[in-house]
């Protein structure tokens, strides 16, 4: 569950338990909904922890009356019957309804004519290279170790082939072959 500061940034909350929607709606309505069905969040508990425990068998300790739901199915049913679900049901009805031309509003939102790939090849390559540069330059210690490694390997390989000579005669070819092993 998110900390209270992050939870406060959410616009909507979807609470699932055992594949059942217990609540789906505005963040501001989470506590009023659960209070309306008989669960009270203590002052010492943050909302995300409270909601997480409501979705488990620990829910009974937050019960404020005898007729509170005792299962996830009962909570889901209470949400579906509450006024808190009507806003979400209206949104679903609005977007699933067809307009005069027979297109649903979901198609209007996501569009049939959007390109398969939003970015072009050049932009994709640019984004990948920018990301790799950030990842590479983020770890300064790794860069320093790799530079030292490259220098040491260069010195070692350079000493193996030191003083071979620059002409390509039979003696130099034999020296190179001898140093290769």
């Amino acid at each position: 569950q998110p900390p209270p500061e992050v939870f406060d940034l959410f616009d909507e909350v979807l609470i699932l338990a055992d594949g059942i929607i217990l609540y789906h709606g505005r963040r501001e309505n989470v506590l009023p909904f659960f209070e309306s069905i008989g669960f009270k969040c203590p002052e010492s508990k943050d909302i995300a922890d409270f909601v997480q425990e409501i979705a488990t068998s620990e829910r009974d300790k937050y019960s404020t009356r005898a007729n509170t739901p005792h299962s996830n199915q009962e909570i889901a049913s209470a949400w579906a019957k509450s006024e808190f679900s009507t806003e979400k049901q209206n949104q679903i009805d609005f977007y699933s309804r067809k307009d005069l031309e027979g297109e649903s509003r979901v198609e209007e939102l996501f569009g049939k004519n959007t390109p398969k790939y939003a970015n072009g090849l050049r932009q994709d390559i640019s984004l990948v290279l920018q990301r790799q540069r950030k990842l590479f330059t983020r770890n300064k210690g790794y860069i320093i170790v790799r530079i030292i490694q490259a220098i040491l390997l260069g010195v070692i390989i350079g000493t193996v082939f030191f003083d071979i000579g620059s002409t390509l005669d039979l003696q130099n070819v034999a020296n190179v072959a001898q140093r290769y092993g």
Side-chain angles (χ1 to χ4, degrees):
Q1 77 279 355
E5 298 81 22
V6 174
F7 185 80
D8 289 340
L9 297 174
F10 292 162
D11 293 329
E12 289 194 359
V13 177
L14 173 63
I15 302 168
L16 293 169
D18 300 325
I20 302 169
I21 297 175
L22 302 183
Y23 175 83
H24 186 198
R26 303 193 52 74
R27 174 190 41 85
E28 299 86 17
N29 294 337
V30 170
L31 286 181
F33 165 70
F34 283 109
E35 288 173 0
S36 74
I37 61 172
F39 295 106
K40 178 81 171 140
C41 180
E43 294 290 325
S44 61
K45 193 104 163 138
D46 67 77
I47 299 171
D49 286 334
F50 167 71
V51 168
Q52 183 180 9
E53 290 184 20
I54 289 293
T56 66
S57 60
E58 299 290 320
R59 71 177 68 86
D60 292 336
K61 66 183 176 184
Y62 300 110
S63 178
T64 58
R65 57 183 191 234
N67 64 345
T68 57
H70 295 290
S71 70
N72 290 332
Q73 289 83 5
E74 291 175 8
I75 295 173
S77 176
W79 177 75
K81 293 174 187 172
S82 73
E83 73 269 3
F84 297 101
S85 71
T86 56
E87 178 184 358
K88 191 52 63 183
Q89 291 298 329
N90 291 339
Q91 287 176 348
I92 291 169
D93 291 342
F94 175 78
Y95 285 112
S96 61
R97 218 176 309 133
K98 304 269 185 190
D99 62 8
L100 296 175
E101 297 166 0
E103 284 190 17
S104 72
R105 288 182 173 76
V106 173
E107 292 170 347
E108 178 184 314
L109 281 177
F110 298 108
K112 295 187 292 190
N113 298 325
T114 56
K116 185 174 181 180
Y117 302 106
N119 298 333
L121 180 62
R122 179 176 287 149
Q123 187 175 7
D124 282 344
I125 290 172
S126 172
L127 291 171
V128 167
L129 290 174
Q130 287 174 14
R131 186 189 74 203
Q132 284 303 114
R133 181 182 49 81
K134 283 181 185 178
L135 291 174
F136 183 73
T137 57
R138 187 176 290 161
N139 192 348
K140 302 290 185 197
Y142 176 75
I143 294 172
I144 292 170
V145 168
R146 291 297 302 230
I147 289 172
I148 292 171
Q149 179 185 19
I151 291 171
L152 287 175
L153 281 174
V155 169
I156 290 170
I157 292 173
T159 57
V160 169
F161 295 104
F162 181 70
D163 201 25
I164 289 181
S166 60
T167 60
L168 192 60
D169 60 3
L170 201 51
Q171 180 62 33
N172 285 341
V173 172
N175 285 340
V176 170
Q178 190 179 40
R179 292 178 188 194
Y180 270 125

